[in-house]
Every structure is written in structure tokens, then in C-alpha cells.
Amino acid sequence: MTTPAARPPLRTSFVEPAALTPERRAAMFALLSVWFEGYGEDYFNEELEDLDHCVLQEDAGTGELVGFATVYRQAVEIGGTAVGAFHTAHCILERRFWGSNELVRSMVAEMVARARADRSGRLWYWSYSAVGYRSYRYMPMLFVRHTPHPDQPPDDLDRAFRDHIGRACFAQYYDADTGTVDWQWQGYGLTEEARAISEAKLDSPAVAQFSRINPRWADSVEILCLARLQDDNLTAFGRRWFCTSPLPSAHAQTPFALTRQADLRSAESGERVPAKRVGEGVALLPNAAPRATPSP
């Protein structure tokens, strides 16, 4: 792995789907294909049309794409309560940048800022489906209450919203009893490189915890995760990442004009952050038909 000192500086940008050129889309799909096989490029490009926004990480000197995250937005009512989700569908980072949390930090900081700026009373969540322990670990790292939790069942609202997302977006592949998504497709799933977990990590508490929650992760079974984007739900680490005082949102004045660029310092946590996929095939927009079957 490249040491932090040897890594080139990165540029993080927030863009609308219309700003993604064919060349940039191809580069995104190439990064995705390192970790997941059998995912259709045509379907991937269809997904991009329904994005709320995309977070790109590029080499600041060369402009080379080294990571990206795709975010969808949903606003619904669950049992009379107005709720919304920013759902991360893909979050991919080139291997030489493992150990940097910059992509996730900038992505979730934007969600927190938008939730804080919303005065409608809607309760906002971050949502994604985790296929590996490194993606799941952001739940306990950033949030006090989150789903799934190894020792605390979700409350009624969190469970109902999780199941709504699961059923609407993953259809028959979602199991409400376990909160997991099992695609059951031949030729589709994690690549060999993605399935490999370092032997040095197998006895770590993070791996053991995730294995309890999602014992079939190596079969590409994903577990649906969500947490409320509220200041009182942030851990001490989360408060350091996302300052407890309200932050200005890039979308406060122009909700869909995503032009802000920021170079954020990496917050090292002592664990590698791998490229990963979360919530494949999900289009979470209020007026969009849910998609549950990416083309193999």
C-alpha cells in the first residue's frame, strides 16, 4: 500500500449526473469492475441518470479519477412521519489510497450539512448496503444509534424505514428478518480480490462484529445499513468529523447545482478503507421507479 506521504494530493468535487462525460463514466465503471464482476455497464450508466449527485476524487495534478461515490435521495412518509434518505449506491476507492477516509468524510459531511439545513422537520438518514466489514464499520464509527447493531435492535421507525427501502428497491432479494439482500445471481458478485481479507484482520473486533451481523458476506450478501443524520446521534469521532455547529450546505441556495469543490484532510483511523459497493441497483428518488435487478 502506498504510504500517505507518497500519495498525490486529491481534489474532491460534487457534480450532477449531467456533468459526467462518457470518458468519466467509463473510468468510474472500470474502478467498479475491479471489485465486482457481472455488473452490466449499460445498467450502470442508466443508474447514473437518476443520481442526486456524485462525489468524485481525482489526482489534483493529473485529473485522473481515483475514487467516486454515487448518492440518491428519497423523501417519503412512514407511519405519518416524514423521513428521507441519502443513499450511497457505490463507493469506490483505488487501492493505493486505502487508508484515506477522505471520500467518505466529504460525502457524509454533505449529507449532514443538508440535513441540518432542512427546516421542514423531515428526519434524514444515511443509507447503504454493506457487503464487507470495512464499509459497515462507518456505522459504529460515526453514529451512536444505527441499524444493524450487534446488541441493540432498531426502533420501530428505523426498522420500518429500513424495510421500506429494502422492499421497494431490492424487491424479492430483500429479507426483512435479517435485513440482508441476497442477489442469488450466477456470475455476479465480489471479485476474488474483493473477497480476500487479510489474515491479520480476521481476529479483529470489527471483523468479528460484522461476521455476526452478516455471516454470508463472502457470498456477496449485503446488509442494509442506516443511521439518523442528527447531531445527537454522532459519536465523539463523528462530532470531530462533522463539527457540531451547523455547517453551510453546498445546496442551501441551489439544491441541485453541485459545484462545490473541497480538498479535505484525511482522517486516519488505523484501518484500511477498501473500494466497495453498497446498495447496487438502487434508484432512490421520490418519483422514480425503484430498480432491483441490475443486469448481470
Side-chain angles (χ1 to χ4, degrees):
M1 182 178 68
T2 306
T3 63
R7 296 174 189 147
L10 298 179
R11 177 175 61 245
T12 303
S13 60
F14 294 74
V15 302
E16 294 179 290
L20 296 172
T21 65
E23 294 77 16
R24 180 58 79 220
R25 290 169 181 241
M28 293 166 66
F29 185 75
L31 284 177
L32 175 71
S33 298
V34 172
W35 309 107
F36 290 88
E37 56 191 3
Y39 198 91
E41 186 170 7
D42 289 342
Y43 184 83
F44 176 74
N45 280 297
E46 290 176 12
E47 277 189 320
L48 296 180
E49 299 304 319
D50 293 328
L51 286 177
D52 184 83
H53 63 277
C54 185
V55 188
L56 303 181
Q57 278 202 322
E58 301 161 314
D59 184 311
T62 67
E64 175 192 4
L65 184 74
V66 301
F68 73 91
T70 54
V71 180
Y72 301 83
R73 182 176 61 91
Q74 181 187 45
V76 297
E77 284 197 5
I78 300 293
T81 300
V83 296
F86 297 105
H87 188 94
T88 303
H90 308 284
C91 190
I92 305 294
L93 187 63
E94 193 176 304
R95 185 165 190 152
R96 61 186 163 132
F97 294 99
W98 287 10
S100 166
N101 288 302
E102 187 176 342
L103 177 61
V104 173
R105 183 181 184 181
S106 57
M107 174 183 67
V108 184
E110 175 67 12
M111 298 176 188
V112 170
R114 291 177 67 175
R116 286 169 172 164
D118 185 359
R119 298 294 182 263
S120 70
R122 187 175 301 277
L123 179 59
W124 287 97
Y125 290 76
W126 179 29
S127 154
Y128 63 91
S129 58
V131 74
Y133 79 91
R134 293 181 179 96
S135 48
Y136 167 75
R137 75 185 181 92
Y138 287 105
M139 285 283 120
M141 186 173 86
L142 297 175
F143 302 103
V144 177
R145 302 176 303 279
H146 54 84
T147 300
H149 191 290
D151 302 311
Q152 298 173 7
D155 66 17
D156 291 344
L157 179 60
D158 287 4
R159 181 185 296 275
F161 193 27
R162 181 201 68 180
D163 292 345
H164 169 82
I165 294 172
R167 293 186 178 114
C169 302
F170 300 104
Q172 72 269 25
Y173 304 105
Y174 176 70
D175 182 346
D177 290 336
T178 61
T180 58
V181 180
D182 185 355
W183 296 109
Q184 303 174 355
W185 291 337
Q186 292 292 327
Y188 171 75
L190 293 169
T191 63
E192 286 296 327
E193 185 170 359
R195 282 195 294 270
I197 289 183
S198 168
E199 291 294 330
K201 291 286 187 180
L202 291 178
D203 61 352
S204 76
V207 177
Q209 183 182 81
F210 183 75
S211 295
R212 286 173 55 198
I213 294 170
N214 187 17
R216 295 186 57 213
W217 69 269
D219 297 326
S220 301
V221 172
E222 305 172 8
I223 191 157
L224 197 54
C225 303
L226 78 165
R228 300 184 184 190
L229 295 169
Q230 295 175 307
D231 285 340
D232 65 1
N233 195 32
L234 294 175
T235 62
F237 188 93
R239 291 194 297 272
R240 290 195 298 272
W241 258 21
F242 309 126
C243 304
T244 52
S245 58
L247 300 174
S249 170
H251 312 278
Q253 301 299 322
T254 54
F256 299 102
L258 297 152
T259 57
R260 178 166 61 88
Q261 294 190 345
D263 291 326
L264 299 175
R265 293 181 180 270
S266 170
E268 299 297 335
S269 67
E271 291 192 38
R272 294 180 178 180
V273 179
K276 55 192 177 294
R277 182 202 65 176
V278 284
E280 302 284 31
V282 182
L284 286 177
L285 289 173
N287 299 316
R291 300 177 178 180
T293 54
S295 56

